[in-house]
Amino acid sequence: MTHFPVEKIRADFPILAQKIRGKDLVYLDNAASCQKPNAVIDAISDLYRNDYANIHRGVHTLSVRSTDKFESARGKIRDFINAASEKEIIFVRGATEAINLVAQSYGRTHIRAGDEILITAMEHHSNIVPWQLLCEQTGAVLKVAPINRKGELIYEAFEALLSDKTRLVAVAHMSNALGTINPVEKIIAAAHAQKVPVLLDGAQAAPHMKIDVQALDCDFYAFSGHKLYGPSGIGVLYGRQVLLEAMPPYQGGGDMIRKVTFEKSDYNKLPYKFEAGTPSIADVVGLGAAIDYLNAVGMDQVAAYEAELLGYATEQARNIDGLTIVGEAARKGAILSFVLENVHPHDIGTMLDSLGIAIRAGHHCAMPVMDFFEVPATARASFAMYNTRAEIDALMQGIESLIKVFG
Ligand code: PMP
């Protein structure tokens, strides 16, 4: 591949240049949350130092400056995912809130007793529980399309479950527990053929590949800023304008109204109808800076570099006796979930931390996936654009050394 400037990128992430327990930090917990470049940290502190005030309707200079920065970030996000309009970009706290918004606003108005919502067996709890709540509230039924031993959706089973009762399909673009990238193009085409809208949970996909919501033709797309090199506490719901227009507000409060009387309130236009209360202003600005940063690197370059890292890590992991990779889909993002024969995943995580290596051990908020693979938990190394082959070597040496300790 063409040269990827990983050392230059690493230098932009101040947190990476530290020692943990006397060893160089190797940060491989990016699927949980990734680190922030100076550009993001500076954009946030610059706003608070120089321009901060509450946004919208303010007539004073600081409010105008903050509003401009806030709304300019919305424009950057529109471009980043190629939405047709800024009206389709709703700021929320994260992917979780985005999905809950759709479940409660779209779901409560369009889904009735006996209707079906179709998800897959590899969903994060954030794309399961909001639908279960909706089913409890409405009497709808949650259907789950199964996966195979490689951690891939069994597409034929998905299609068979898509029925004339299905009112919504909600699937992960990429699984956080397995790394699987779902065949979302096929899923969307099949659902649309039956006039069923599709929500994509893009929390994991957005940091790793170019997202084009118009080319995908999805109806909703949810993602979180903190996994995209941006701040925590901010995320995005993309929604197709015609659907958003027809949906009632999710929360009531300031900013989401045009006129309030005690008899009735008129709601604001899109996207403000869904943004009640003072938003996380600086975090939106920080997310805009993260997107500028990613655009400068180039999402296609990020995807190609991470594919190479994953390929290298997978090859190394396959050479380790007693290590089983959990999730070996043909189309995968930069996640390596694994178990070791005689070592509990939590011990793997603790032992690796003593070597300065940060991974995650647990159910990854995807307990049904753990049940399917009959493991209590997995160890998960997840890669970002600032990781290196040398860090993967350190991970593999760490695993080898703990296998020796645990016999
Ligand atoms: N979906 C997936 C696939 C995820 O990986 C995550 C975060 N682990 C979420 C949803 C929820 O994201 P957040 O906690 O940022 O709302």
Side-chain angles (χ1 to χ4, degrees):
M1 76 178 274
T2 52
H3 174 70
F4 187 77
V6 65
E7 287 308 327
K8 185 167 166 288
I9 289 171
R10 289 182 71 79
D12 290 332
F13 288 77
I15 204 169
L16 297 178
Q18 65 177 292
K19 298 219 183 274
I20 297 283
R21 301 175 190 275
K23 303 275 187 351
D24 287 340
L25 166 64
V26 174
Y27 187 78
L28 302 176
D29 192 18
N30 297 288
S33 201
C34 68
Q35 301 299 347
K36 323 301 171 197
N38 282 319
V40 169
I41 300 166
D42 293 347
I44 295 169
S45 82
D46 186 56
L47 181 87
Y48 280 132
R49 280 178 201 286
N50 300 307
D51 303 317
Y52 180 79
N54 210 333
I55 55 167
H56 298 150
R57 298 177 316 279
V59 290
H60 64 82
T61 303
L62 291 186
S63 177
V64 171
R65 279 198 221 147
S66 282
T67 304
D68 286 350
K69 285 193 164 183
F70 181 89
E71 290 300 334
S72 118
R74 197 188 305 272
K76 291 174 190 181
I77 291 155
R78 187 205 75 77
D79 290 345
F80 186 67
I81 61 169
N82 193 33
S85 159
E86 287 179 25
K87 291 180 186 164
E88 300 180 319
I89 306 298
I90 316 288
F91 288 121
V92 289
R93 278 189 298 137
T96 301
E97 190 174 44
I99 298 168
N100 277 279
L101 191 163
V102 176
Q104 289 302 308
S105 172
Y106 182 86
R108 292 291 286 267
T109 38
H110 291 82
I111 292 171
R112 308 260 174 277
D115 288 348
E116 293 175 1
I117 300 157
L118 180 53
I119 63 171
T120 79
M122 71 176 86
E123 301 307 319
H124 186 280
H125 297 163
S126 294
N127 201 27
I128 303 174
V129 184
W131 308 117
Q132 287 174 330
L133 288 169
L134 179 65
C135 288
E136 278 168 24
Q137 291 156 349
T138 60
V141 181
L142 190 63
K143 294 279 175 177
V144 183
I147 57 177
N148 64 24
R149 298 304 300 175
K150 286 178 152 181
E152 294 165 324
L153 175 69
I154 303 173
Y155 180 76
E156 299 68 34
F158 167 84
E159 236 182 22
L161 282 167
L162 194 58
S163 79
D164 58 4
K165 290 187 183 157
T166 313
R167 293 288 169 270
L168 189 79
V169 167
V171 301
H173 193 172
M174 171 176 155
S175 151
N176 68 310
L178 303 165
T180 309
I181 296 172
N182 272 314
V184 291
E185 300 80 2
K186 261 166 62 176
I187 288 173
I188 291 166
H192 283 179
Q194 307 216 29
K195 302 205 168 11
V196 176
V198 179
L199 176 143
L200 294 183
D201 171 1
Q204 291 299 329
H208 300 296
M209 64 188 85
K210 196 175 250 174
I211 304 300
D212 181 334
V213 290
Q214 292 190 77
L216 283 168
D217 201 26
C218 60
D219 301 281
F220 299 104
Y221 199 94
F223 62 96
S224 298
H226 68 98
K227 299 186 201 272
L228 196 68
Y229 307 96
S232 49
I234 190 69
V236 173
L237 171 68
Y238 158 81
R240 200 189 285 280
Q241 189 174 339
V242 287
L243 294 177
L244 292 176
E245 296 281 11
M247 284 159 55
Y250 173 52
Q251 293 179 326
D255 239 24
M256 53 70 71
I257 45 77
R258 216 180 325 239
K259 185 169 176 12
V260 175
T261 65
F262 285 118
E263 287 68 42
K264 186 177 177 352
S265 300
D266 284 336
Y267 307 133
N268 207 339
K269 57 186 196 266
L270 288 176
Y272 311 111
K273 181 171 83 174
F274 292 106
E275 294 180 354
T278 302
S280 210
I281 302 165
D283 297 320
V284 166
V285 173
L287 179 56
I291 283 170
D292 285 342
Y293 187 88
L294 274 167
N295 284 336
V297 179
M299 285 311 291
D300 287 338
Q301 283 73 10
V302 169
Y305 178 69
E306 288 179 350
E308 198 194 69
L309 281 184
L310 179 68
Y312 182 65
T314 305
E315 195 185 296
Q316 302 294 309
R318 283 194 184 128
N319 289 334
I320 297 181
D321 271 350
L323 184 153
T324 306
I325 297 175
V326 180
E328 294 208 83
R331 271 180 83 195
K332 250 189 98 167
I335 284 176
L336 187 74
S337 247
F338 61 93
V339 289
L340 297 181
E341 237 159 54
N342 297 319
V343 198
H344 191 279
H346 286 112
D347 293 329
I348 304 175
T350 310
M351 292 278 292
L352 289 176
D353 181 59
S354 71
L355 303 171
I357 302 167
I359 62 147
R360 187 146 294 247
H363 54 63
H364 317 296
C365 294
M367 283 184 185
V369 174
M370 303 298 117
D371 291 344
F372 176 77
F373 284 98
E374 295 167 336
V375 292
T378 73
R380 181 186 70 185
S382 52
F383 311 111
M385 63 176 162
Y386 44 61
N387 290 126
T388 64
R389 277 176 170 244
E391 290 183 312
I392 291 169
D393 291 339
L395 169 69
M396 298 304 160
Q397 281 157 20
I399 294 170
E400 299 266 23
S401 68
L402 71 93
I403 287 176
K404 276 196 197 112
V405 171
F406 283 85

